[in-house]
Amino acid sequence: MGDSVRNVVSGGRQETLIQAGHIEHLVVGDARTAPDEVTVAPPWGDRGTPLRGREELLERLMAAPGVHVLYGLGGVGKTSLALEAAHRHRERGAPVWWVAAQDGTRLSGGMRAVARHLGATDDDLAAGVTADLLWQRLDRLGGPWLLVVDNADDLGLLDGPGRLASGTGWVRPHSAPHGLVLVTTRDGDPAGWGPLPVLHPVGPLARTEGAQALHDRAGESAGRPEEAARVAVRLGGLPLALDTAGRYLASVNERPPFLRGADEPASYAAYLAAVGSGDLTVDGDGTLARIWDMSLTLAEARGHTCARPVLRLLAGFADAPVPLRILDPARIPEVTPAGLWGALQALDRLGLAELRDRDGEQPVVALHPLVRDAHRTDAARALAEDLAARAADADRRPEDPARWPFWSLLLPHLLELEPEDGSPEHLWVGALCAADHLTRAGAPERGLAAVRPLAARAPRALGAAHRLSHWARTLEVSALLDSGRAAEARTACEALLRDCEEHFGPDGPVTLRTRHLYAVAAQQTGDVAAARDAYGKVLEVYVRLLGPTDRHSLATRHNLAMLHHLDGDPAGARAEYEAVLAAETRTLGAEHPSTLTTRHNLATALADCGETERAVAEYEAVLEARTRVLGAGHRETEATRLMLARTLPR
C-alpha cells in the first residue's frame, strides 16, 4: 500500500454511509447544520406590542392539546400568535421549543436539537430514527409543553422520513395529555395536512383591533383612534403592514417638527392621504412583496404555472370580490379551465386569495387590498375590465330583481369602466348597465352620478344617432325622475325626444319609448294635459303594432290610469288598474316589479273609493312581495309600507 492518508470528516451527521478509496477531506452538510449552532429558543425579542384581535383563538389553542396548524396570508401574524402562545407557556413554567422550517436543514437540525433537549444522545440520533425517537419522548411527557414549527410553507419538507398526511413525518399526532404543537404556514390545503391536525385560518384584523395594533406602534402623537381605524381599513387589517405604518409614524414623530421633511406624514390623516395619492408606498422596502412572491414560487413549484398570471388578473379588478363566472378562460392568455381552477385553489390555500361559496351565494374570489395593490398592472386592469364588461353584455338584465345578487357582485367592477373614443361597444354596455342597475335597485342618485359622464361622452364618441348614445341619455332621464328632479328630467327628455324623431322617425320603437318617458316627466311636473296627450299617442301605436297586452301597451295603460286618479276619478282608475293587473299577471308574472307597482296603485285607488279593508289587504300583499323581491330597504318597498300605515284604520 502507498502512504497512509489521514481522512477528515466535518459537519453534522446525516446518517449517510460514504465509501471511497481515497478521501483527504470531506464536509458532510453545511457548517450551519452542526448541532451546536442550531437554536430552538423562541425569538423573544420579536415579541413587542400587545397581540390584538387573537385572544379567542389563542384561548382555544391553549385549552386544546394536540397538533394545530395556523395558516394564512404572509404578514397576517401567524408567527406573532405562536410567539404569544410560547410566552404564556413560559409563564407557566412549561418547556417551549421553536423550530424554524424555512428549509430542510433548519427543520431537521431543529428537530434533532429538540430530541437532545429531551435526553437523546448522539448515538441515539445516529441510529437514523430521529423522528420516531423524538415523538416517543414527547409522548411520555406528562406536563404541559409547546413545540412550534414556524414557517412550514413547503409541506414536502415536513414529510421528513415518512409522510406528513399519514402521521409519519416530522410533525405527528401525539398522546401527551398537555402537549401542544403549533405549526405556522401559508399552506392550508387539508389534503396536504391530512386528517390529523386541526387547521385554523388566521385572517386580517377587524377594524377596531387593527386600529389598536396601529396605535400601539405609532403612539399618541399620530392622532385619534378613529383616524387610526381609517388607516387600518386602508391597510386591510394586515398586521405586518400595520406594524410597518406604526413604526414609520413613530419614527417621524420622534424628531422635532423642524427636522421632518415636507413629504413625511406624521399623522394618521396625512399618512392615509400620502398612501392614497401614491406619494407613500406601504411596502416601502418590498418586504411584503418578497413574502408573497415566495408563496407564488411555491405554487409554481407544485405545478400551478398559472398562479402568477391569475393573481395579476385578479388584481386588475376593483377592490371587491370577483364572481368566478366572469373569469372566462377563453379570454385569459395561456390559461385553461383546469389551470385556472387549480391556480385559484392554490392561491386560496396559500392565503393570497380567498375562494368563497357559502350559504348558497354565488362563488367569488377575493384579494386582500394590499395583495391587489402589489400585483396590479395596466394590462391586468384592461383585461379585467374587458371580462366584466363582456359578462354584463351577455346578461343585460340589471333590472331583474332575480338577477340582483349577481349584479351587486359585478357592479364594483363595472363602475371602474371609463369608455372613451375608440372603446369597444361592450365596455359602453357594461358601464351603462351599472348605472341602470343602481337606479332600478333603489339608488338613483348613484345611478345618476354614474350615467351623467357617459351621457355626455357617448354622442361625441359614438355619434348622436347611436343606440348606446340614446340609451345613455334615457338612463340619465330615468335617474333624474327617480331622484325627484322632474323638471330637469323633462327638459332633458324634450331634447332627447326631438333627436329621436329626427334619427328614428316619429313612430320608431326608440322614439315611442322616449315619448313615454317624456309623458312620465310631464306627469311628475304636474302637466297632466301634456302627459295625457303623449301617453295617448304612444298607446295608439303600441296597440296597433304590438297588441293591447304587450308589456309596453300595459305600461302605458297603467300610467293613463294614474292620470284618471289624479283627475279625481278613483273608480275609473281602479277599473283600469284591475284590467292591467290581470294582463300583467299573465304576461309578466305576479311578482314582476311592474305587476307589483300596478297592484300598489290599485290599493291606493281602492282606499280612495272607500274600500279600506280591501286596500289594506292589497298593501299587505304587495309589502310582503316587495320585501322579498326588492328588499326591505328599497324605496318602493318603503313607499308601500308608508301607504299601509296611512290606510290602516285608527
Side-chain angles (χ1 to χ4, degrees), residues 348-385:
D348 176 67
R349 291 163 183 164
L350 293 171
L352 289 169
E354 181 184 2
L355 285 171
R356 303 175 190 165
D357 184 13
R358 305 187 183 108
D359 302 325
E361 297 177 358
Q362 303 211 28
V364 298
V365 58
L367 291 186
H368 187 282
L370 295 185
V371 174
R372 173 181 174 270
D373 290 348
H375 296 89
R376 191 169 172 85
T377 65
D378 290 342
R381 177 176 177 174
L383 178 55
E385 290 177 348

Side-chain angles (χ1 to χ4, degrees), residues 299-639:
E300 291 168 335
R302 293 176 180 174
H304 300 293
T305 56
C306 300
R308 201 175 297 269
V310 169
L311 181 62
R312 281 197 294 264
L313 169 60
L314 296 177
F317 287 95
D319 186 11
V322 180
L324 292 191
R325 59 175 292 183
I326 75 175
L327 301 178
D328 182 0
R331 298 194 173 276
I332 305 174
E334 301 179 11
V335 171
T336 65
L340 173 63
W341 180 240
L344 290 171
Q345 288 184 308
L347 294 173
D348 176 67
R349 291 163 183 164
L350 293 171
L352 289 169
E354 181 184 2
L355 285 171
R356 303 175 190 165
D357 184 13
R358 305 187 183 108
D359 302 325
E361 297 177 358
Q362 303 211 28
V364 298
V365 58
L367 291 186
H368 187 282
L370 295 185
V371 174
R372 173 181 174 270
D373 290 348
H375 296 89
R376 191 169 172 85
T377 65
D378 290 342
R381 177 176 177 174
L383 178 55
E385 290 177 348
D386 181 78
L387 292 173
R390 288 184 184 278
D393 194 15
D395 190 282
R396 288 214 190 186
R397 286 178 287 172
E399 77 286 353
D400 183 358
R403 307 291 301 154
W404 286 358
F406 168 67
W407 280 92
S408 65
L409 293 171
L410 189 58
L411 181 65
H413 311 293
L414 296 178
L415 290 176
E416 292 215 332
L417 299 175
E418 296 180 355
E420 296 284 356
D421 290 2
S423 295
E425 286 192 7
H426 66 274
L427 292 185
W428 286 95
V429 171
L432 291 171
C433 280
D436 192 11
H437 172 70
L438 284 168
T439 298
R440 292 177 184 270
E445 291 289 352
R446 291 184 63 200
L448 181 60
V451 77
R452 270 207 150 148
L454 300 172
R457 290 199 302 268
R460 297 193 302 270
L462 302 172
H466 197 283
R467 60 186 178 85
L468 295 180
S469 298
H470 172 265
W471 186 23
R473 295 172 68 186
T474 299
L475 292 178
E476 181 181 19
V477 173
S478 297
L480 284 168
L481 288 171
D482 285 0
S483 299
R485 299 158 71 168
E488 288 182 66
R490 183 174 182 179
T491 300
C493 199
E494 285 172 342
L496 179 59
L497 182 57
R498 288 193 297 270
D499 289 346
C500 286
E501 289 175 338
E502 176 184 348
H503 297 136
F504 307 114
D507 291 339
V510 173
T511 305
L512 289 174
R513 290 194 293 271
T514 305
R515 185 172 288 113
H516 183 279
L517 192 61
Y518 168 76
V520 175
Q523 178 181 333
Q524 288 194 15
T525 57
D527 191 344
V528 176
R532 181 179 288 109
D533 179 66
Y535 282 138
K537 291 178 179 177
V538 170
L539 182 60
E540 187 274 327
V541 178
Y542 275 154
V543 170
R544 174 164 44 85
L545 297 179
L546 305 175
T549 59
D550 179 80
R551 61 188 181 91
H552 296 92
S553 302
L554 292 174
T556 308
R557 289 177 61 189
H558 169 272
N559 287 4
L560 279 169
M562 292 177 66
L563 295 184
H564 282 303
H565 204 163
L566 291 174
D567 280 343
D569 181 15
R574 180 190 65 184
E576 186 65 2
Y577 283 140
E578 288 175 334
V580 171
L581 179 60
E584 285 181 332
T585 301
R586 288 193 305 272
T587 58
L588 301 178
E591 293 191 345
H592 189 279
S594 296
T595 307
L596 294 176
T597 296
T598 302
R599 196 171 183 185
H600 171 97
N601 289 336
L602 171 60
T604 305
L606 289 168
D608 288 348
C609 289
E611 298 184 47
T612 304
E613 184 175 345
R614 186 181 168 196
V616 168
E618 290 293 326
Y619 278 135
E620 288 177 338
V622 173
L623 179 60
E624 189 276 331
R626 277 183 165 174
T627 300
R628 184 162 25 82
V629 174
L630 303 178
H634 194 282
R635 58 189 178 82
E636 292 183 4
T637 306
E638 292 176 347

